[in-house]
Amino acid sequence: MGATPQRLEADPLARHTLSPRALKELLAAERQGQPFIAVRADDGELKLFLLGRGSDRLAVGRSEDADLQIGWDAEVSGLHAELECIAREWTVADDGLSTNGTFVNERRVSGRQRLRDGDRLRVGSTVLAFKSGSAVTSSETAAAGRGAVLPPLTDTQRRVLIALCRPYRDGSEFTVPATNHEISQEVFLGVDAVKMHLRTLSARLGLGNLPQNQKRARLAEMVLQFGMISRRDLDA
C-alpha cells in the first residue's frame, strides 16, 4: 500500500497546534535529553513515550500487548513494527510484520533502518515523531534544520516564508500553505523566483527528498516550529 498524504495537524511536533499543557509536556520531555516518541491520539491529544539508551526492544502495534500501543488506528497491524536500541542508536524494523507497511519520512522501511532526530514514522494513518535527545553520536552528522545553526534569512526569503505560512494564522484544521501564485502576489516576485526560494529553503532544512505534495506543508511546519517566523509575522 502506498503512502497517503497526512494533514499538517497530524504531525505531533507542530507546536503551533499544541495546547499550552501539551506544549509544556513536550518541552519538559526535551529538557530531559532522553530519546522519545511523540504521537497524536485519535482525539488530538499529544502522547509521549520516553525511550532509554540501553539495549531495549519495543513492539509497536494496535494490540493491547504492544509496548507502544496505537489502538485507535484500524490501519495499524496488531504487531506492526519493532523499535530497537542498538549501540545507543534507535532503529525501526518491519520485516513483513505489518499489512500496510511502515514509513520513515514517507519512504517505506525495508528491513531495519536507523532513526535520526526529527524523523517522522508513519504506521497506518498515524504519524510518530522521533526525538533522539540532546546527545548527537559521533557517527552521526547533524542534518540541516535538526539542531544545526541555520544561516540567517535574507529579507526576501523571510517574506516568502511569511507568505507561505500566512494561511496558518487562523489555526484552521484543514489549513494548507499558500500557493506559488499567492506568494508571488504578496511579495511581488515572479512565480519562478518564488519556486527558486522555496527550493533553496527546503534544501536548507533537509527536505529535498520529500515528495513535492508534502514538501510545502512540511516546510511551513518546520519554519513555525523552529521559530524562523512567528504568529505575529503572520498577522502583520
Side-chain angles (χ1 to χ4, degrees), residues 133-144:
S134 58
V136 177
T137 65
S138 59
S139 61
E140 181 176 339
T141 302

Side-chain angles (χ1 to χ4, degrees), residues 3 34 43 50 86 94 137 171:
Q34 294 295 317
D43 58 2
L50 298 180
I86 303 173
D94 182 353
T137 65

Side-chain angles (χ1 to χ4, degrees), residues 180-198:
N180 290 334
H181 179 72
E182 290 169 336
I183 297 171
S184 173
Q185 294 294 305
E186 179 172 333
V187 302
F188 302 106
L189 285 175
V191 171
D192 287 340
V194 169
K195 291 180 179 178
M196 181 271 292
H197 284 297
L198 291 177

Side-chain angles (χ1 to χ4, degrees), residues 15-236:
R15 300 187 184 213
H16 60 290
T17 68
L18 292 175
S19 68
R21 179 184 61 79
L23 181 57
K24 183 178 180 180
E25 292 178 357
L26 177 59
L27 293 174
E30 290 178 336
R31 282 195 295 269
Q32 291 187 32
Q34 294 295 317
F36 67 88
I37 293 284
V39 62
R40 297 280 186 97
D42 56 341
D43 58 2
E45 286 298 309
L46 181 70
K47 291 181 175 292
L48 301 177
F49 296 85
L50 298 180
L51 306 173
R53 292 191 184 277
S55 299
D56 297 320
R57 181 178 295 177
L58 304 174
V60 180
R62 201 172 72 250
S63 168
E64 293 182 358
D65 295 325
D67 302 295
L68 202 164
Q69 185 190 11
I70 306 175
W72 59 84
D73 190 340
E75 296 180 19
V76 173
S77 300
L79 174 58
H80 195 102
E82 182 182 69
L83 296 172
E84 185 175 9
C85 188
I86 303 173
R88 297 171 62 84
E89 296 277 1
W90 278 95
T91 65
V92 62
D94 182 353
D95 295 317
L97 293 175
S98 70
T99 300
N100 295 323
T102 299
F103 299 81
V104 174
N105 301 326
E106 289 307 326
R107 291 190 173 187
R108 188 162 186 162
V109 172
S110 177
R112 184 172 300 277
Q113 181 172 332
R114 186 174 68 172
L115 295 176
R116 299 181 183 276
D117 184 55
D119 277 347
R120 267 57 172 181
L121 293 79
R122 182 169 62 78
V123 293
S125 59
T126 300
V127 176
L128 312 175
F130 172 75
K131 296 295 290 182
S132 65
S134 58
V136 177
T137 65
S138 59
S139 61
E140 181 176 339
T141 302
R146 295 178 182 170
V149 177
L150 296 172
L153 297 172
T154 67
D155 179 64
T156 301
Q157 288 173 334
R158 181 177 176 79
R159 290 189 293 117
V160 167
L161 288 178
I162 290 172
L164 174 74
C165 299
R166 185 81 67 188
Y168 293 99
R169 65 176 179 256
D170 299 324
S172 171
E173 181 181 3
F174 300 105
T175 300
V176 295
T179 65
N180 290 334
H181 179 72
E182 290 169 336
I183 297 171
S184 173
Q185 294 294 305
E186 179 172 333
V187 302
F188 302 106
L189 285 175
V191 171
D192 287 340
V194 169
K195 291 180 179 178
M196 181 271 292
H197 284 297
L198 291 177
R199 281 196 300 269
T200 299
L201 291 162
S202 295
R204 180 184 296 186
L205 292 174
L207 304 178
N209 292 327
L210 279 183
Q212 194 61 40
N213 66 337
Q214 299 170 30
K215 190 179 298 183
R216 299 171 68 83
R218 185 75 184 104
L219 175 61
E221 187 270 329
M222 291 182 74
V223 162
L224 291 166
Q225 177 183 331
F226 295 150
M228 297 171 71
I229 61 174
S230 68
R231 284 285 187 178
R232 184 175 300 175
D233 294 323
L234 303 185
D235 292 332

